[in-house]
Every structure is written in structure tokens, then in C-alpha cells.
Amino acid sequence: MAWRLRLAPEKTNIDFFNHQWLTFGGSMILMVLAFVAWGVMGLNFGIDFKGGTTLRTESPNVVDVGAYRAAIEALPVGDVAITEVFDPNFSADQHVAMIRVSSDDQGEAVSEDLLAQVRAALVKTDPDLKVVAEETVGPKVSSELIWTSVLAVGITSLAIMAYISLRFEWQMAFGGVLALLHDVFITIGIFAFFQIKFDLTIIAALLTILGYSINDTVVVFDRLRENLQKYKTMPLRDVMNLSVNETLSRTLMTSITTLIAVGSLLVFGGDVIRGFSFAIFMGVLLGTYSSVFVAKNLVLFIGLNRSDKPKKTDKSEFANIDA
């Protein structure tokens, strides 16, 4: 018989509720800390969500952030943020910086004349410097993007809840979506705490997290539904434990292979997609954790109606649709 790698024993009997006030309670504490970081520190909005212009510069000389800042702040601009970009793929003489010049106090976009002065000031500081990319977003467009992004995440969550309600039970839908929001909010809290740039690519990552995380949760819920029919007298807590144990190997295999792929992007993908890759990486970790320790706990707290219901012969019943 050929040897096969197993990330978990063929049969496990782990009590995932044994330390629920540590695992589930820890998740609730992380949620609170995420909201505190979000409210107190705020998000480091990228150019997509904050009107202004971002310049990407390259030079064979070492980036002198202090000199760059002094040259730009001498001009009539708003906030200035300068970040040196590090990437293992850069050559030894390739020094890259991201320079964001925000909109002025009147809420207008940075004018082209002022941008020309910024470019001239940078070149004066380093004659070998080149501006290789430039991106401008007006404040009106950026504020609309914020609300559109919130709406996208909200509608996606409601759509997932509606599907799970039709596919399973409303308690599972409610618990599953709360577990999804747990993943999203903690990820946003991490971005707020470490002040990682938050732009439209991160919104795409959050939507990806919603899709990935609910996939894991649905697998557990599907096995739970089968076991509820099979073990009608077994306590709900024990049925949930059994369901998670039976799907544990699949959950670990899916998560670890996904983390390997996303980890490669995080290390070798470059600075342009590093924020996106980091958000996906954290989302996969949190999504796996919430599928095992959060979603089922919420369903257990809400409770399930395990009374026998009369079977319907109508083949159009949503609950009988295979997905």
C-alpha cells in the first residue's frame, strides 16, 4: 500500500469545546481589540480612499527619506507620507520609494503644477531619481469608494446568509455569517494596528476571505446536517464535535495548501500585491480557526430545532438542492 501523507490521524476524537471559553472567548477579545484599534488608530488609507497623488520613484542611490520629506514639505502641499520599498527581487542599485502627497485643505486634488514642483524638488534632491509611476485620486471619488466597499462587503454577507438559510437552517446561516465577519473585522483590526496601507486591493482580499471562509464552514455544516439525521439522540454538542473531527483532515489539507500558495505570493510577489497577499494569508488562518472554533459555537449557543419534521415530496424544496 502506497504511503500517504496525513495531516491528521484517520480518526480523531478531539473535544473542540473543552476550552471554548479560551478559544471562543479569545476570538471575542480579538474582535474587541480590533474595533479599538480601528476606532483609535484608524486605517492607513491608500490613495484609493484618500484623495491625493502617489509617486513611485526609483534611483541607484539610497533613499534619503528625510531629504525627500524636507524638499516636499517646503511646498504648499497637505500631508506627505514617504515609504521606502524593500523587495528581494530588487537589484543592489535599485532603490524604490512610494511618496504620497495628500489633497490640500480645501478638499481639491493636487494640481498638476504642484505635482510638477514636487517632481522637480525630488530630482533636485537626487539627480538620478526617476518617477516611474504616478496615481491620482480625487477626494470625492475616494469617499464614494469607501461607501461602495462597505456596501460590497455587506451585500456579500447578506447573500451568503440567504444561501445558507435555504441550504441548511437559519441558525447555521446566522452563525456562519457572524464567523465570517469575525474573520473580516480581525483582519481589518490587524491592518489598523500595524498601519498597513488599506486600499481597494484589500477590499478584494476581504471579499475573497468571505468566499474562502464560508467554504470551510459549509463543509462542516454539511457533515453536521448528515450526522444530525444519523445520530438523532446524541447531544448536539457531541454531534458537532464528531462533525468537526470527521472533516478535520480535509480542513487542514485545504488550508495548508492554500497558505503555501499565498505565502509564496507574500514573499516573492513584490510590494505591489504584498498587502493583498498578507490580507489573504491572515484571512485563511482566521477562516480555518473560525470554522473549527467559532461558527459551531455560535450555532450551539443559538440552538437547533432537532424535532422530526414531516418530509416533503416537493422536489423544488430548496433544502434538497445539492450544491
Side-chain angles (χ1 to χ4, degrees):
M1 180 178 175
W3 179 82
R4 291 185 301 170
L5 173 65
R6 286 189 178 276
L7 298 177
E10 187 172 357
K11 290 184 179 181
T12 59
N13 188 28
I14 303 171
D15 185 358
F16 291 99
F17 290 97
N18 191 33
H19 302 289
Q20 62 178 331
W21 296 114
L22 176 63
T23 56
F24 184 73
S27 292
M28 299 303 103
I29 293 174
L30 284 177
M31 284 274 288
V32 172
L33 293 177
F35 280 114
V36 170
W38 192 357
V40 174
M41 305 178 68
L43 290 170
N44 179 20
F45 286 120
I47 193 65
D48 298 327
F49 295 126
K50 189 172 183 179
T53 299
T54 295
L55 305 175
R56 181 185 175 99
T57 66
E58 287 190 11
S59 173
N61 304 315
V62 176
V63 174
D64 189 340
V65 175
Y68 287 8
R69 183 181 299 278
I72 297 174
E73 288 183 343
L75 301 173
V77 298
D79 294 335
V80 177
I82 303 175
T83 306
E84 186 174 0
V85 178
F86 298 95
D87 193 290
N89 297 320
F90 288 166
S91 59
D93 61 346
Q94 187 179 11
H95 303 280
V96 179
M98 298 293 288
I99 303 170
R100 183 173 62 79
V101 183
S102 67
S103 304
D104 60 22
D105 295 336
Q106 285 72 39
E108 299 294 334
V110 180
S111 67
E112 182 57 39
D113 291 341
L114 188 54
L115 286 177
Q117 295 179 46
V118 171
R119 289 190 289 266
L122 291 171
V123 173
K124 186 177 180 180
T125 302
D126 181 0
D128 297 322
L129 180 144
K130 294 182 179 179
V131 179
V132 296
E134 185 176 310
E135 183 182 8
T136 299
V137 175
K140 181 178 180 181
V141 174
S142 63
S143 62
E144 292 176 353
L145 286 174
I146 293 176
W147 289 111
T148 302
S149 301
V150 172
L151 187 63
V153 174
I155 291 177
T156 302
S157 300
L158 290 175
I160 291 173
M161 182 181 289
Y163 170 76
I164 302 242
S165 296
L166 297 174
R167 186 70 174 85
F168 300 103
E169 302 285 344
W170 73 265
Q171 295 94 332
M172 294 184 182
F174 189 70
V177 169
L178 285 182
L180 294 184
L181 296 179
H182 156 277
D183 305 337
V184 170
F185 289 147
I186 293 181
T187 301
I188 294 176
I190 292 172
F191 270 75
F193 182 80
F194 291 103
Q195 288 296 288
I196 304 172
K197 187 175 71 172
F198 194 92
D199 52 24
L200 278 179
T201 62
I202 309 305
I203 296 298
L206 295 179
L207 294 174
T208 305
I209 291 172
L210 290 177
Y212 177 88
S213 193
I214 198 60
N215 174 65
D216 248 0
T217 304
V218 163
V219 169
V220 176
F221 283 172
D222 196 49
R223 183 58 59 90
L224 174 60
R225 184 180 58 175
E226 293 175 0
N227 286 334
L228 285 173
Q229 295 295 323
K230 188 176 180 181
Y231 305 102
K232 294 185 178 181
T233 60
M234 183 182 292
L236 181 58
R237 170 173 167 158
D238 294 340
V239 179
M240 287 183 169
N241 255 332
L242 176 64
S243 302
V244 177
N245 276 285
E246 289 179 345
T247 57
L248 182 61
S249 179
R250 182 264 180 203
T251 298
L252 290 177
M253 181 63 74
T254 303
S255 299
I256 290 177
T257 52
T258 305
L259 286 173
I260 290 173
V262 178
S264 299
L265 286 177
L266 183 61
V267 176
F268 302 109
D271 62 283
V272 177
I273 63 170
R274 183 154 292 130
F276 174 84
S277 304
F278 178 74
I280 295 291
F281 192 88
M282 293 305 304
V284 171
L285 287 177
L286 291 168
T288 303
Y289 183 87
S290 66
S291 297
V292 175
F293 291 106
V294 178
K296 64 178 181 53
N297 291 62
L298 291 169
V299 175
L300 181 64
F301 292 155
I302 298 171
L304 281 175
N305 182 10
R306 301 184 63 183
S307 60
D308 291 335
K309 299 178 182 179
K311 296 182 178 180
K312 298 182 180 180
T313 57
D314 184 3
K315 295 184 179 181
S316 65
E317 182 184 6
F318 286 110
N320 292 328
I321 296 178
D322 290 330

